[in-house]
Amino acid sequence: MHTKTSKAVLSPLADAVSTLIVIVSEAETEGSPMPDLSALGANVEAQIANLVKVGQSIQSMPSSDEQLKREMPVACDDVTTSAQRLVTATKDLVDDPYSPAGRSGLLDAVKGILGGTTQVLNCVDDAEVRKILFRCQALREHLNVIEAGVDPQDRTAVTSYINRLQQTSQNIVALAQATNKRVTELLYPVLQLRLKKAVNVIVKESPLLLGACKLLLMNAKDAEGVKRNCARFYEAIEEIETVLKYTTEEEGLALESLSVVGNQKRALVQEHIPAIVRALSSGQPHEVKVAIAEHAKAQKAVIMNTEDMLQGQRDPVLKQQIQELLSEVAQAQTFVDEVVREYERDPTDPEKQRAIRHAVDHLLGRTDALQCALNRALVGQAVSAIANLADRNQPGTAINRLDHAARNGDSAALKPALEDFRAQAEELEEIANAAIDLVAVANPQLAQELLIMRNRVRGLAEAYEHAAVTLANNPNDAAVQEHYKQIASVWEECIDELQKNLTGQEGVFKAHELVTGTKQTLGHHAAALQKAVQNRDADGARQETALVYAAAKQLLSIAKAEAANTDDAIYRQELEVEIRQVEQFLPNLTSAAQQIFEGDEDIAFDAAAAFGAVVGNLASQLGGLTSAIRKFKGGAPETLTLPVAPPPEPTPKSPEITEPITPLNQQIDAIAEQLGDIVVVEEEKPMLLTEDEARTSPLKAAGQELKVEASNWTARENSIVHAANTMSQALLDLASYHQTLRLNRDPAAKKQFIAAAQEIMGESTNVAKASRPLVDLCTDRRLKAQLLGTLDRIQTLGQQFKIVAAVKASAPTDTDKDAQLVACANNLMSGVKGCLRDCESASLRISEDKLKDIGVKFRRQVYRAKQFGA
C-alpha cells in the first residue's frame, strides 16, 4: 500500500477480512455455530461488482495499453470469482453453521477478495506508472538525438534538429504534468520528495539545454555544453524511473552508502554501546572486555579521521579546541581500559562495575562534546564555502573572481579563478557528505534531500565552469552571454536551496551549533582580515571582508528564521529586538565593505581598518543575538546521563583504583532532589535484544526497541508515552502469536494475532491523538510541521500494518507476508520513536501551565543502576 487510492480501498476491506477471521476463529475455538453472514456476503459481492465495473471502464479507455487490456480481465475475473465463493460459503454456513468446509471456504474467499482487489488496483496503478515511464523513454530518445549534434551548415538537418527540440519541450511538459500528478498520489513523503526534485531538475534546466543547443547551432560553439546538459537530464530521468518502481518507504529512504567514518559513528551508537550494555548485564568479564575493545577500535578510527580533518581546518582557535577535546577523549578511553582491567580481577565487586559505567559515561560525554565542536567547525566551513559560491556579484568571493575573468575575457585570471571556484565547490560537496552522515540515522529523509542537492551542485558546478570558459573565449557574443547568465542563475538558486537546508535553519545542526559556528567563523575571518591588512595584501583583505560580511548576514538570517518559525511571543520579541540592534550596524558595515571592494589599495587598507572597528561593535551586538538563541534553543540533552566529575588519572604504581567514586545512588538522589522532572525507578532499564535474538525474532526486536525508547520517560501524566508502551507490548504479543501461527494453524492464535494487530493500529491512532494537543501548542513552527508529518505517517503505517496482518492471518504460511509485516513493524516503531523525541522537544517550548492544561508532562526516568546506559 503506497498510494492514497490503495489506502482508501484496502483499509475498510482489511477491517472486514479481520472481522471475518475473528468470527471464524471464535467458532472453531468455542465450537459455536457461525452467524448468518449471507447479507454481508451479498453486500461484499455488490461492492466487488462496482470495483470490477470501474476496472473495466478504465480498461476500455483509448489511453489503455495492451498490458492493461491483458491483465485487467484476469484480475476482475479473479476477484469476482472470490466474491461469488464468499456468497456460496455464507449460504452453506446458513444451511450448516458448524460446517468445517463452509468455514474454510469463507476464509479462502475473503483471502481471494483481498488479493484480487489488490490485483485490480495494481493493474490500474501500474498502467499509470507505465505512461510516465513511456514519456521518460521518449525524452531519453530525444536527448540521444540532441546530444549527437548537428552540422550548422546543413539547413535540412538544422530544421530537423529544431523540430526535435520542439518535440523535446512538449515531452518535458507532458512528463512534468504526469509526474506531478503521481507525486500527489503517493503516500510516503520521501517518495514524493525524490520524484518532485527529479522532475524539477528537468523543468528548471530545460532552458539551459535549449540555450546550449542554440550555441551549438551557431557554428557548433557549445557541443560539450549540450552533452553536459543531457547528462544531467539522463540522471534525472533515471531517478524518476527508479522512484516509480518503489512501493515501500524503506526503498525511498535507503542511502547508497555512508562514508567510512559515517558508518563508524553509526556503529558506535547502534552497535558498540548496546554491546557494552549487554556485556555488563551478563556479568561475563570476557564479554565486557571484547565489547570495550570493539568500541575502542571504532572510536580510534573516528579519532584518526578527525585528526585528518583537522589538517584542513583554517581557524586556529577552533582547531585548538578540537585538539584539546581529542586529547580528552583519548584520556577517557585510556581510563576505560584501566577500569576494565580492574573489573577483570574481581567481576563481582559492585564498585568496579560502577567504575566501568562511570568511565564509559565520561567517555560518551567527551565524545559528544567533540562532535559538537566538529559540528560548529562544519557550520563555519559551510558558511565560508557558500559565501564564496552564492553570489557572482559579491566582490571578494571565488565566484565573483571567476565571473569577472569570464566576462572580461581575461585568460590569465581565468585559470586561478577556475581552480579556486572548483576547490570551493569540492569543499562544499565534502561538507554536504559530512552533513548526510550526521542525519542519516536520525532523519533519513533530510539525508536524501541533502544527497539530491549535493548531486545537483556537483553537476551544475561543472556546467558553470564550462559556461565561464566559453564566455571567456567569446566575451562579446550575446548568445554566449545570455547562456552564461542562465546557468549562473540556476547555479545560484541551487546554492541558495542548499544553504537553507544546511545552515539556514535547524535540521542538520542544532540552533546553538549554527549560531556558535557562524560567530566563530566571523571571528576567524575578522582576524584574517587584520592579518591581510598588516601584510598589505589587498586581494586577501577583500576576500576576508566578503566572508566576514557573509557570516554577519548569515547570523541575521538564522535569527530571522528562528523568529519566523516560533509562535513563542517572548522569544520572538527578544529576537526582534536583537535583530533590530544588529541591523543598525549593517549600513556602516556595508559602506565600509564597499570602500574596500571599490577603492585602490591605499583606500582599501584604510577602509579595512574602519571596517575592523565596525566589526568589533557588531560582534558585541551579535553576542546578544546568539545568547538569546542559546537561551531558548540550547535544549535538553538527548538522554540523561548522571553528572560525574572527570575520571581520576589511573595510578600506574598500583593496580587498584585509589580515588573513591561517589556512590551511584547518591548521585541519582542528588539529581532527583534538584530536578522535579526526574523520576527514579527502582528496577533495571529494559534492554535491546542481542543481534542473534533480533535476527531470530525481528518482530519481537521491533517491540523491544520501542519499549526501550519509551522507558526513557514515565507514563504517568503522559498519554503519549502510555500509548507507546501499550503499542510496544502489543508488538511483543503479536510476535509471540506470529510464532505460534507459523508453527500451526491454531484458530485461537489467529484470533489473538488479529486482535494484537488491531490494538497496534488503535494505539497508532492514540499516539497521534494524544500528541495533537502538544503539537497545536508547539511554538516552533518547523518542529510543528515535522511532528504533523510524523503523526500522519504513524497513522498511515498503523493502517498498513492492519492490512498486512489481515493478509498474513489469512495465509499463515506465506513467508513473503512475513517480510512485509516485519518491514511495517520496523517503520511504525521508528515513527513512534521519532514522535516521542520530537514531542519532548515540543514540550520544552510550552509553558508549564499549558502543559498542565493538556495533561502531558515529559519526565525522564532514571533507573537504579544495575547496568550501564540508564
Side-chain angles (χ1 to χ4, degrees):
M1 186 181 76
H2 63 289
T3 65
K4 294 175 182 176
T5 299
S6 61
K7 175 184 175 182
V9 173
L10 291 177
S11 187
L13 187 59
D15 284 337
V17 170
S18 298
T19 300
L20 286 173
I21 291 174
V22 170
I23 291 172
V24 172
S25 298
E26 286 178 345
E28 290 179 339
T29 304
E30 301 170 6
S32 58
M34 287 288 294
D36 183 353
L37 300 174
S38 56
L40 174 63
N43 183 44
V44 170
E45 185 182 33
Q47 292 182 27
I48 294 300
N50 288 334
L51 175 68
V52 168
K53 187 182 294 183
V54 172
Q56 291 171 339
S57 67
I58 293 173
Q59 173 194 333
S60 63
M61 288 180 177
S63 59
S64 297
D65 61 11
E66 292 302 317
Q67 186 172 343
L68 179 63
K69 292 176 181 178
R70 289 195 309 270
E71 294 177 349
M72 183 60 79
V74 175
C76 289
D77 288 346
D78 287 348
V79 74
T80 299
T81 299
S82 295
Q84 291 169 348
R85 289 167 58 196
L86 176 65
V87 172
T88 300
T90 56
K91 289 180 179 178
D92 289 344
L93 286 168
V94 171
D95 295 336
D96 182 2
Y98 295 93
S99 169
R103 289 196 295 260
S104 177
L106 184 68
L107 291 177
D108 288 342
V110 296
K111 174 186 173 184
I113 289 171
L114 193 55
T117 302
T118 302
Q119 192 178 354
V120 171
L121 293 173
N122 286 343
C123 284
V124 177
D125 194 63
D126 290 347
E128 292 300 314
V129 168
R130 285 195 298 273
K131 290 177 184 178
I132 303 177
L133 292 174
F134 174 79
R135 296 196 181 281
C136 285
Q137 183 56 33
L139 179 56
R140 184 181 280 108
E141 291 171 0
H142 288 316
L143 292 171
N144 289 338
V145 175
I146 291 171
E147 187 178 18
V150 65
D151 181 359
Q153 306 306 318
D154 186 339
R155 304 313 302 169
T156 302
V158 168
T159 300
S160 176
Y161 196 79
I162 291 174
N163 289 336
R164 178 70 69 168
L165 290 175
Q166 290 174 341
Q167 294 169 7
T168 302
S169 297
Q170 293 168 359
N171 186 274
I172 287 172
V173 171
L175 175 60
Q177 290 174 342
T179 306
N180 286 327
K181 181 180 177 182
R182 181 66 180 175
V183 167
T184 63
E185 172 66 6
L186 293 172
L187 273 178
Y188 301 120
V190 67
L191 300 185
Q192 293 176 336
L193 168 74
R194 291 182 60 175
L195 202 55
K196 189 172 182 179
K197 291 284 186 181
V199 76
N200 280 349
V201 168
I202 293 174
V203 172
K204 290 182 178 180
E205 296 192 23
S206 57
L208 307 188
L209 176 63
L210 296 177
C213 291
K214 181 179 179 180
L215 295 183
L216 179 67
L217 293 172
M218 297 169 62
N219 301 317
K221 286 182 180 176
D222 202 23
E224 184 63 28
V226 172
K227 291 181 180 179
R228 290 180 185 276
N229 275 274
C230 287
R232 294 197 301 280
F233 271 57
Y234 291 141
E235 289 178 2
I237 291 170
E238 184 178 356
E239 172 73 351
I240 291 173
E241 292 171 333
T242 299
V243 176
L244 286 174
K245 296 173 185 176
Y246 289 160
T247 58
T248 66
E249 191 176 37
E250 300 80 34
E251 292 171 311
L253 291 173
L255 289 168
E256 297 171 355
S257 63
L258 288 176
S259 68
V260 174
V261 69
N263 279 315
Q264 289 166 340
K265 288 181 178 179
R266 181 169 64 176
L268 279 171
V269 176
Q270 294 188 330
E271 298 173 18
H272 298 305
I273 292 299
I276 294 173
V277 172
R278 290 192 293 267
L280 285 166
S281 299
S282 72
Q284 299 296 320
H286 175 70
E287 291 185 17
V288 173
K289 184 176 181 180
V290 169
I292 293 288
E294 289 297 317
H295 179 274
K297 182 179 177 182
Q299 184 86 291
K300 182 179 179 181
V302 172
I303 289 174
M304 291 177 62
N305 176 269
T306 304
E307 291 171 340
D308 291 341
M309 182 274 292
L310 275 181
Q311 301 304 314
Q313 176 55 243
R314 292 181 287 271
D315 185 340
V317 175
L318 192 54
K319 185 174 183 177
Q320 182 179 352
Q321 291 175 359
I322 294 174
Q323 287 173 332
E324 291 173 355
L325 284 166
L326 278 171
S327 177
E328 291 178 16
V329 169
Q331 291 173 7
Q333 183 64 60
T334 299
F335 184 71
V336 169
D337 296 338
E338 291 287 337
V339 295
V340 167
R341 283 194 287 272
E342 294 297 326
Y343 167 76
E344 288 180 297
R345 290 189 176 91
D346 186 5
T348 61
D349 186 345
E351 288 300 320
K352 290 184 170 58
Q353 294 174 0
R354 290 174 187 145
I356 292 181
R357 292 191 293 273
H358 172 97
V360 175
D361 267 344
H362 182 71
L363 174 60
L364 292 178
R366 294 298 82 206
T367 303
D368 288 344
L370 174 62
Q371 186 59 58
C372 186
L374 291 173
N375 289 352
R376 294 198 301 269
L378 205 57
V379 168
Q381 290 171 335
V383 169
S384 299
I386 289 171
N388 266 309
L389 297 169
D391 182 2
R392 65 189 185 279
N393 296 317
Q394 175 60 59
T397 60
I399 192 172
N400 175 260
R401 291 190 289 275
L402 179 56
D403 176 78
H404 187 270
R407 286 190 294 104
N408 289 285
D410 187 345
S411 57
L414 183 66
K415 183 178 179 181
L418 277 171
E419 291 175 352
D420 193 12
F421 176 87
R422 188 174 298 123
Q424 293 294 333
E426 289 173 354
E427 181 173 358
L428 184 58
E429 184 177 335
E430 288 303 311
I431 291 167
N433 288 335
I436 291 168
D437 285 345
L438 278 175
V439 299
V441 176
N443 194 340
Q445 182 164 321
L446 178 56
Q448 281 291 344
E449 193 165 3
L450 290 169
L451 178 64
I452 292 167
M453 288 186 285
R454 182 207 69 184
N455 292 343
R456 191 162 184 234
V457 166
R458 180 190 296 166
L460 284 174
E462 295 177 355
Y464 188 87
E465 290 175 27
H466 177 77
V469 171
T470 303
L471 178 60
N473 294 332
N474 306 273
N476 299 316
D477 189 312
V480 173
Q481 291 172 355
E482 180 61 28
H483 182 56
Y484 170 80
K485 288 179 182 177
Q486 288 178 324
I487 289 183
S489 177
V490 173
W491 164 260
E492 290 175 351
E493 180 185 341
C494 179
I495 294 297
D496 183 62
E497 183 182 11
L498 178 59
Q499 184 272 333
K500 287 176 181 176
N501 282 273
L502 196 59
T503 60
Q505 60 183 0
E506 279 190 309
V508 178
F509 305 103
K510 297 175 182 177
H512 69 85
E513 292 170 341
L514 287 173
V515 295
T516 306
T518 305
K519 190 176 178 184
Q520 282 180 324
T521 201
L522 186 150
H524 164 65
H525 290 301
L529 172 60
Q530 291 180 347
K531 187 174 181 181
V533 172
Q534 292 170 358
N535 295 333
R536 309 295 290 177
D537 179 1
D539 289 339
R542 291 187 177 99
Q543 181 175 345
E544 296 302 335
T545 297
L547 296 178
V548 169
Y549 189 65
K553 290 197 298 183
Q554 174 65 19
L555 270 171
L556 264 180
S557 175
I558 295 169
K560 289 179 178 178
E562 281 291 301
N565 286 329
T566 184
D567 289 325
D568 187 318
I570 297 176
Y571 181 35
R572 184 171 58 250
Q573 183 178 6
E574 186 168 342
L575 282 175
E576 289 172 348
V577 169
E578 296 292 343
I579 288 170
R580 284 195 296 271
Q581 290 179 350
V582 171
E583 286 180 330
Q584 290 176 2
F585 287 85
L586 278 187
N588 292 337
L589 191 73
T590 303
S591 176
Q594 284 300 119
Q595 292 182 43
I596 297 173
F597 296 141
E598 297 174 359
D600 59 27
E601 288 197 8
D602 289 335
I603 294 175
F605 290 134
D606 292 338
F611 183 81
V614 175
V615 170
N617 292 330
L618 177 65
S620 63
Q621 293 300 323
L622 289 173
L625 188 61
T626 55
S627 295
I629 294 175
R630 286 180 60 86
K631 182 174 71 174
F632 279 85
K633 300 296 290 288
E638 292 276 329
T639 55
L640 180 70
T641 56
L642 298 178
V644 293
E649 292 291 335
T651 305
K653 296 181 180 180
S654 172
E656 298 296 329
I657 299 175
T658 57
E659 185 168 328
I661 298 175
T662 304
L664 194 60
N665 287 355
Q666 292 181 21
Q667 296 182 40
I668 295 175
D669 291 340
I671 297 174
E673 194 173 312
Q674 295 173 18
L675 302 175
D677 57 352
I678 301 297
V679 177
V680 178
V681 182
E682 297 287 347
E683 59 187 50
E684 293 188 2
K685 182 176 174 64
M687 303 288 295
L688 296 172
L689 301 187
T690 64
E691 292 182 16
D692 290 340
E693 289 172 336
R695 197 177 301 111
T696 302
S697 182
L699 284 173
K700 183 179 179 181
Q704 188 66 16
E705 186 170 343
L706 181 55
K707 183 177 182 178
V708 170
E709 181 69 25
S711 69
N712 289 317
W713 302 274
T714 177
R716 295 197 302 272
E717 299 181 80
N718 194 318
S719 52
I720 306 170
V721 175
H722 177 76
N725 280 330
T726 306
M727 182 186 290
S728 68
Q729 187 56 52
L731 272 169
L732 293 171
D733 293 340
L734 182 131
S736 175
Y737 304 143
H738 175 261
Q739 189 69 18
T740 305
L741 204 59
R742 291 176 60 189
L743 297 176
N744 62 72
R745 303 185 70 174
D746 179 15
K750 200 178 289 186
K751 176 184 174 182
Q752 292 168 327
F753 181 82
I754 288 289
Q758 289 176 331
E759 184 177 13
I760 290 167
M761 188 204 72
E763 291 306 324
S764 69
T765 302
N766 288 339
V767 168
K769 184 178 178 181
S771 303
R772 189 56 193 255
L774 195 69
V775 176
D776 291 340
L777 291 173
C778 179
T779 57
D780 188 323
R781 293 174 184 172
R782 180 197 60 81
L783 181 57
K784 178 183 288 189
Q786 181 174 307
L787 263 170
L788 287 172
T790 300
L791 297 183
D792 183 62
R793 177 172 177 260
I794 287 171
Q795 292 181 91
T796 296
L797 289 169
Q799 291 175 327
Q800 185 178 23
F801 190 86
K802 172 192 67 178
I803 293 171
V804 175
V807 176
K808 174 62 183 177
S810 66
T813 58
D814 190 338
T815 54
D816 287 341
K817 298 299 180 290
D818 283 347
Q820 293 178 16
L821 194 66
V822 169
C824 220
N826 281 324
N827 288 337
L828 184 57
M829 174 269 297
S830 176
V832 176
K833 282 176 61 180
C835 176
L836 287 170
R837 295 171 185 176
D838 286 346
C839 280
E840 183 188 33
S841 296
S843 72
L844 298 174
R845 292 154 172 79
I846 302 171
S847 68
E848 289 289 334
D849 290 342
K850 291 182 178 178
L851 287 174
K852 187 175 181 180
D853 290 341
I854 63 174
V856 173
K857 186 174 179 64
F858 274 87
R859 294 187 295 171
R860 287 270 174 168
Q861 292 192 139
V862 177
Y863 293 80
R864 289 289 187 185
K866 293 186 178 182
Q867 71 218 5
F868 161 77

